[in-house]
Amino acid sequence: QKEVEQNSGPLSVPEGAIASLNCTYSDRVSQSFFWYRQYSGKSPELIMSIYSNGDKEDGRFTAQLNKASQYVSLLIRDSQPSDSATYLCAVRPGGAGSYQLTFGKGTKLSVIP
Amino acid sequence: DAGVIQSPRHEVTEMGQEVTLRCKPISGHNSLFWYRQTMMRGLELLIYFNNNVPIDDSGMPEDRFSAKMPNASFSTLKIQPSEPRDSAVYFCASSRTGGDEKLFFGSGTQLSVL
């Protein structure tokens, strides 16, 4: 059973702080890793993807991947109230079945003004 | 460019009734996915189509669920008969290919089975 685990939260951070969201996965052959943001009552939207160990930065967002530890994280710098949402970690294996995305249940983030 | 279009947005029905959810993927996308989201189980893949052909339906809960994709621009997910435990948000998503291409989600159908 392939699993993706996230702390459900809620994670509360003050405006301007760094929000750190964490995700662990069980399938060692996983090759691709994604972070989706889902506002309440809306559909998920992709905000970051990462495929190699290390950090990947995009604006205020940084994704971090450590395949040896089976760990992926998302940092949000200078958090804004508009960042308040549920963040879903998703993992995809390589090769056969590479279409199959396994999602975590999400971490709810609240940014307090 | 229109995104993935789902209908209806909300569906309330009684146990035992047939429910049909509809999806129009983004033009040019050849991969289509149906997901179900609940608080308890999160987002689960129900079925995946590639070039209108069902590739993986292992996530379909049971025979009460069926999905079709008669052409590249339309797909349906049918539940017959519906049960209260089917209550969830059902999302349709599409991508250009089934690999690492970005997944675009529709706005979802909130299904309530009474």
Side-chain angles (χ1 to χ4, degrees):
Chain A
Q1 180 78 15
K2 300 172 185 175
E3 294 184 348
V4 177
E5 300 287 342
Q6 296 182 253
N7 188 323
S8 61
L11 173 66
S12 294
V13 300
E15 183 175 355
I18 296 175
S20 178
L21 305 165
N22 305 314
C23 171
T24 59
Y25 59 94
S26 63
D27 188 357
R28 283 197 168 272
V29 302
S30 298
Q31 295 292 323
S32 308
F33 307 86
F34 307 88
W35 284 98
Y36 282 78
R37 178 177 62 200
Q38 186 174 24
Y39 291 113
S40 180
K42 303 295 185 182
S43 58
E45 59 175 330
L46 180 68
I47 55 171
M48 288 286 288
S49 58
I50 186 167
Y51 307 99
S52 305
N53 281 327
D55 295 0
K56 178 181 178 183
E57 187 174 317
D58 183 1
R60 296 187 296 111
F61 298 96
T62 299
Q64 299 175 318
L65 175 60
N66 184 325
K67 289 186 179 180
S69 300
Q70 296 176 234
Y71 176 90
V72 58
S73 65
L74 179 70
L75 301 178
I76 306 174
R77 290 182 301 281
D78 188 23
S79 295
Q80 301 296 310
S82 59
D83 296 325
S84 298
T86 296
Y87 289 80
L88 305 172
C89 174
V91 173
R92 176 179 277 150
S98 62
Y99 57 86
Q100 176 71 275
L101 261 184
T102 300
F103 283 86
K105 293 180 182 178
T107 298
K108 185 172 183 178
L109 172 67
S110 292
V111 181
I112 312 301
Chain B
D1 182 24
V4 177
I5 299 172
Q6 289 187 247
S7 64
R9 286 298 307 274
H10 303 275
E11 177 80 34
V12 180
T13 191
E14 292 187 346
M15 183 174 63
Q17 296 298 306
E18 178 180 297
V19 175
T20 300
L21 311 181
R22 297 172 175 80
C23 174
K24 176 179 170 55
I26 293 173
S27 177
H29 284 193
N30 64 11
S31 293
L32 184 139
F33 305 79
W34 282 99
Y35 284 89
R36 178 173 67 177
Q37 187 175 39
T38 61
M39 290 290 290
M40 287 294 294
R41 301 175 67 91
L43 259 175
E44 302 173 283
L45 178 64
L46 300 177
I47 188 167
Y48 161 58
F49 290 89
N50 186 261
N51 291 322
N52 313 338
V53 176
I55 302 299
D56 182 358
D57 64 355
S58 60
M60 297 286 263
E62 48 199 270
D63 291 346
R64 298 184 298 105
F65 286 69
S66 63
K68 294 181 180 180
M69 192 165 185
N71 57 62
S73 59
F74 185 66
S75 177
T76 60
L77 177 68
K78 185 175 293 186
I79 308 173
Q80 166 63 22
S82 58
E83 297 183 2
R85 60 191 167 122
D86 302 329
S87 298
V89 180
Y90 291 80
F91 287 105
C92 176
S94 72
S95 68
R96 273 200 296 258
T97 70
D100 274 336
E101 290 285 337
K102 179 179 177 179
L103 208 59
F104 292 81
F105 283 83
S107 53
T109 295
Q110 174 76 61
L111 174 64
S112 298
V113 183
L114 307 177

